Amino acid sequence: MKKNTLILLIVGAAVILIISYCQFWSGGEKNPTAVVDPETMGNVPPESSSAAAGKPKGEVPPPSEQAAAPSAGFLPTQMEDAGKFEAYKKHLKEMAVCLNMQVGQLDPQSEINFETFNKAISPDLGDIVMTTDEWSATDIRTKAGELRRIYIENSPDPEKQSQKNLKYYSLSTSGEQKELPLAADQMANPSEALIASLESDGELVGKSTSRRMFYQNGDDLLLIERNGKIYSFELPHDGKTFTCIDADSAKMACRCK
């Protein structure tokens, strides 16, 4: 064996021994820390779907007195109801003070729908990184005049076998709900055919949906819409929560807590 080759082998063996010795006394690195690209951190949902399962899902709005009409919002101008637009401006200013956040100006020529609302609140929140559908409620009135509600709650927990749960109610004039019996296999993950069959039992009175939007900064907005219009919302930020209800009418009321 050549002298140079022997020297290289000795040096290599020494390096290996030194590395092994250091790892032995340091205990090794059993769980190396993952490297996260700062530019992609904002795309990671601030909370998992399982965490969303423990949050309140919001109350179902009372049924409308008249049959529902398709709508994506309303014009907050003199063309329809300037008072509603002024109420929104007033409450958004209150929200900015309550939550200590930036709130953009509303465009008087735009409809008050989620896109317009989201544009106003997004300066501090950032983009939406995840959305979960909490529930939907469809109200119908039968030919006999009975008011019924088809309520479908979505489970964000992937470990649950049932991802959707159906409940069928009869509603009294005072708003009380009486659950109507359904088979267990109908309630768990109901088929589209079953839902359509229940909806066909009467005239559509109203449809409400609840969604939760998760933002880049870690906040989440609970939004409930009734017949395509914002009915209520709840937004926590900077240690406080701002809540509004009846946002689709002149009775819009908000509170800071």
Side-chain angles (χ1 to χ4, degrees):
M1 182 180 295
K2 294 182 179 180
K3 184 177 181 179
N4 291 342
T5 304
L6 180 60
I7 294 174
L8 290 175
L9 289 174
I10 293 173
V11 172
V15 171
I16 293 173
L17 288 172
I18 292 172
I19 294 174
S20 300
Y21 179 85
C22 294
Q23 288 185 341
F24 175 80
W25 285 106
S26 64
E29 192 176 8
K30 297 179 180 179
N31 296 304
T33 303
V35 177
V36 180
D37 185 355
E39 295 183 357
T40 63
M41 289 183 67
N43 296 325
V44 179
E47 296 192 41
S48 66
S49 296
S50 297
K55 291 180 175 290
K57 295 177 180 290
E59 295 184 1
V60 181
S64 302
E65 297 180 357
Q66 299 179 349
S71 174
F74 57 83
L75 291 173
T77 63
Q78 297 292 342
M79 295 173 61
E80 180 172 2
D81 193 334
K84 291 180 181 179
F85 182 59
E86 292 302 320
Y88 257 96
K89 288 201 304 182
K90 173 180 176 291
H91 291 305
L92 286 181
K93 288 181 180 179
E94 294 173 353
M95 183 171 69
V97 174
C98 169
L99 303 182
N100 188 30
M101 63 181 287
Q102 298 181 36
V103 176
Q105 297 293 324
L106 292 176
D107 181 359
Q109 300 301 321
S110 297
E111 291 181 328
I112 290 292
N113 52 27
F114 174 66
E115 287 72 21
T116 302
F117 179 71
N118 183 58
K119 185 177 180 181
I121 67 173
S122 61
D124 267 355
L125 307 183
D127 295 331
I128 297 173
V129 295
M130 184 174 71
T131 300
T132 59
D133 294 323
E134 306 288 282
W135 51 259
S136 67
T138 302
D139 297 333
I140 61 172
R141 190 180 301 280
T142 66
K143 292 182 179 179
E146 181 183 8
L147 195 60
R148 294 186 176 183
R149 171 167 291 163
I150 304 160
Y151 178 80
I152 301 174
E153 185 174 23
N154 299 302
S155 170
D157 189 349
E159 296 182 358
K160 289 187 177 181
Q161 184 176 1
S162 174
Q163 297 299 308
K164 291 185 178 182
N165 187 48
L166 167 66
K167 290 187 178 181
Y168 194 31
Y169 296 104
S170 174
L171 303 181
S172 67
T173 53
S174 60
E176 296 179 353
Q177 296 184 152
K178 178 183 178 181
E179 189 169 352
L180 301 175
L182 290 173
D185 60 344
Q186 291 178 315
M187 298 173 66
N189 289 324
S191 66
E192 294 297 328
L194 172 62
I195 297 172
S197 175
L198 295 176
E199 291 178 349
S200 66
D201 287 342
E203 176 191 21
L204 177 66
V205 175
K207 186 174 181 66
S208 303
T209 58
S210 175
R211 293 180 290 157
R212 189 179 296 277
M213 275 65 68
F214 296 87
Y215 289 85
Q216 283 179 312
N217 75 327
D219 291 336
D220 59 274
L221 169 73
L222 178 64
L223 180 80
I224 296 176
E225 294 176 311
R226 179 172 64 176
N227 300 335
K229 299 178 182 179
I230 299 174
Y231 170 77
S232 67
F233 60 88
E234 180 177 288
L235 177 64
H237 180 78
D238 201 21
K240 292 186 178 180
T241 301
F242 194 77
T243 306
C244 289
I245 62 170
D246 290 321
D248 58 349
S249 71
K251 299 185 297 180
M252 182 178 182
C254 302
R255 64 174 181 170
C256 174
K257 60 179 181 178

